[in-house]
Amino acid sequence: MQWQKLKPPEPDDPICCCECDLYQYGCCCDCEDLDEAFNRWLKVPSKSTFQSPVFGAMAENLEISLIPALLMLPLLLKVAALHYLLGITVLTALPGLVLWYYYATHRKKRRTLFFLTLALYSLAYMYYLFITEILPRGDVSQLQMCTVTSGMIFTIVSLIHTKKGPGFVTAALHNSHSQEDKKESTQVNNGSLQSAASPSGTPAELQTPKEGLGAKWSRCPLCKIMRPPRAGHCRTCGSCVQRLDHHCIWINSCVGQANHRSFLLTLSVFVLTSLYGISLVLCSLCPHQYLMTALFYCPGVYTQSSTALCFTCAWYSSIVAGGLLYLLVAQVLNISFNVTEREAQLALRNKTGQSRLWGLVVDTGEYSRGFYQNWVEFLTMTDASASPQSSLTDLV
């Protein structure tokens, strides 16, 4: 593959850093071909090894990265609760470690259960501390408790619905679309013949057929199948997705046409439940402080280990909720301008879009039909490939 300096790479072009002469660290490439070569070189076949289908399946699906998410998180939070300086250090380093692991896995283009496990375990651990430490203090009413519980359950149910699939592009999708185009063209031709026979007809309207979407379909260079407009190939999942927005590491799945609405609902419910739970915790720990200032100044909170741990977890939840709130705002703005995250990145790369609202959204102007029509299109879009394979829930 030849790299052209003046031409940006195609979005689905599997270019590697070692093939680009502009990349200054090309000698340190860790592309998949190089990794597979080292794996074959390091793998020594042995006939005496234990062979078992169950053991082999567990070895392939189990990730060592799940262990830090399950063991290190409570330990780090308890260490951060010992002193406020330790809390500042741990809560500052923890997002940095998560971001480092994200870039490490994102560069290798591989799926990982680390972030999904971290999100679910954090949600369960925060709820456990809320039940065991905050509820016995007597500052939370039954209605407030039911609200937090309902929000957590609704978040999990919405997440399961999001994991059903983003709407993968299949070969049958193009075949059904071609048949529909043939039927529409036949009806248009019949209507034009009837209008030509009757002088009272309006041939100008009937002879103007709807622009066939088949001309806008393109062939994926990796999947070798025809895909509809706005579809894209996800290198992490290895498949083309209808109206691909992005690959979300927190759900270990793509966000596409079939699950974009449920993804937005999951974000909204999680952020609202987190903010409400944080406010209840701060009101219980710092009853004499204002809600906005209690997170920064709460005297006497480090006198007991339980209150210090709850206060540290409130800070941890605030950091997570703040990051997801930014993602929620970005998603709402993209929907308002009818642009996906993938299209925004391509527009910035090709310099065909305009940054608006202080760089929070990129307006391509290609699919936008106004604020109201954009949201109507988003709320009414359906999965065109209603196949049994895409209807199965991928819990991991």
Side-chain angles (χ1 to χ4, degrees):
M1 183 187 307
Q2 298 295 331
W3 175 262
Q4 300 180 11
K5 294 183 178 181
L6 300 179
K7 181 181 178 181
E10 296 296 330
D12 300 321
D13 195 5
I15 188 169
C16 178
C17 54
C18 61
E19 299 173 355
C20 176
D21 54 357
L22 300 179
Y23 189 63
Q24 57 181 345
Y25 300 111
C27 58
C28 303
C29 172
D30 58 345
C31 60
E32 296 181 358
D33 295 335
L34 190 60
D35 292 338
E36 293 178 359
F38 273 105
N39 289 333
R40 290 193 299 266
W41 178 66
L42 293 174
K43 185 181 296 184
V44 179
S46 177
K47 297 182 180 180
S48 61
T49 56
F50 178 72
Q51 299 293 336
S52 174
V54 178
F55 181 78
M58 292 178 60
E60 290 180 0
N61 296 326
L62 181 62
E63 291 189 10
I64 302 179
S65 60
L66 301 183
I67 299 177
L70 299 177
L71 299 180
M72 296 300 295
L73 180 62
L75 180 62
L76 290 176
L77 291 178
K78 289 182 180 180
V79 171
L82 296 178
H83 196 269
Y84 73 94
L85 292 179
L86 288 175
I88 294 174
T89 303
V90 172
L91 294 178
T92 303
L94 191 60
L97 293 176
V98 173
L99 288 176
W100 171 81
Y101 188 77
Y102 162 71
Y103 284 112
T105 55
H106 181 72
R107 184 173 178 178
K108 293 183 179 180
K109 304 297 180 183
R110 55 172 296 185
R111 300 182 67 181
T112 175
L113 295 174
F114 173 78
F115 299 98
L116 179 61
T117 306
L118 179 62
L120 294 178
Y121 187 72
S122 299
L123 182 64
Y125 187 67
M126 297 301 111
Y127 184 75
Y128 169 77
L129 290 179
F130 186 82
I131 296 295
T132 57
E133 300 294 341
I134 300 300
L135 191 60
R137 296 172 63 91
D139 299 327
V140 180
S141 63
Q142 295 294 330
L143 180 60
Q144 293 173 337
M145 180 64 194
C146 292
T147 303
V148 174
T149 305
S150 301
M152 190 192 69
I153 296 176
F154 195 18
T155 301
I156 296 177
V157 172
S158 181
L159 177 62
I160 294 176
H161 189 269
T162 305
K163 291 287 293 178
K164 286 185 176 180
F168 293 105
V169 179
T170 58
L173 179 63
H174 181 257
N175 296 333
S176 61
H177 181 80
S178 300
Q179 294 177 0
E180 292 178 359
D181 284 347
K182 290 180 181 179
K183 292 180 181 180
E184 291 180 0
S185 60
T186 303
Q187 293 176 359
V188 170
N189 293 332
N190 294 335
S192 61
L193 291 176
Q194 293 177 1
S195 63
S198 60
S200 59
T202 56
E205 297 178 358
L206 295 177
Q207 290 180 359
T208 307
K210 184 179 66 175
E211 294 183 358
L213 295 179
K216 297 182 181 179
W217 285 55
S218 60
R219 180 178 296 274
C220 177
L222 300 179
C223 296
K224 307 301 181 182
I225 60 175
M226 298 298 295
R227 59 188 183 185
R230 310 189 72 176
H233 184 88
C234 177
R235 300 182 186 178
T236 305
C237 295
S239 302
C240 284
V241 179
Q242 302 176 51
R243 198 182 181 274
L244 176 62
D245 189 82
H246 69 287
H247 181 89
C248 182
I249 58 174
W250 297 106
I251 64 174
N252 194 28
S253 176
C254 287
V255 177
Q257 183 170 328
N259 64 346
H260 202 167
R261 285 192 303 269
S262 57
F263 174 76
L264 185 66
L265 180 62
T266 305
L267 272 180
S268 304
V269 176
F270 181 82
V271 170
L272 292 177
T273 304
S274 299
L275 294 179
Y276 185 69
I278 292 170
S279 64
L280 294 179
V281 172
L282 293 179
C283 290
S284 178
L285 297 178
C286 310
H288 302 291
Q289 299 290 330
Y290 290 104
L291 184 61
M292 299 303 297
T293 60
L295 194 61
F296 301 95
Y297 179 71
C298 186
V301 73
Y302 285 96
T303 56
Q304 298 180 2
S305 59
S306 59
T307 57
L309 179 60
C310 293
F311 185 75
T312 304
C313 291
W315 257 106
Y316 172 76
S317 301
S318 301
I319 295 174
V320 175
L324 294 181
L325 180 61
Y326 173 79
L327 179 60
L328 177 61
V329 172
Q331 286 289 312
V332 171
L333 292 178
N334 286 342
I335 296 170
S336 301
F337 285 87
N338 200 356
V339 61
T340 63
E341 188 66 26
R342 172 178 174 271
E343 294 168 352
Q345 294 179 1
L346 291 178
L348 290 178
R349 180 187 301 175
N350 301 331
K351 298 181 180 180
T352 57
Q354 296 180 356
S355 298
R356 297 183 182 274
L357 299 177
W358 304 282
L360 292 177
V361 65
V362 178
D363 185 14
T364 60
E366 185 176 359
Y367 300 101
S368 181
R369 300 296 182 268
F371 178 82
Y372 177 76
Q373 293 297 331
N374 292 339
W375 275 97
V376 169
E377 178 183 344
F378 174 77
L379 296 175
T380 56
M381 64 180 182
T382 56
D383 183 12
S385 60
S387 60
Q389 181 180 0
S390 61
S391 62
L392 298 177
T393 302
D394 183 15
L395 295 179
V396 295

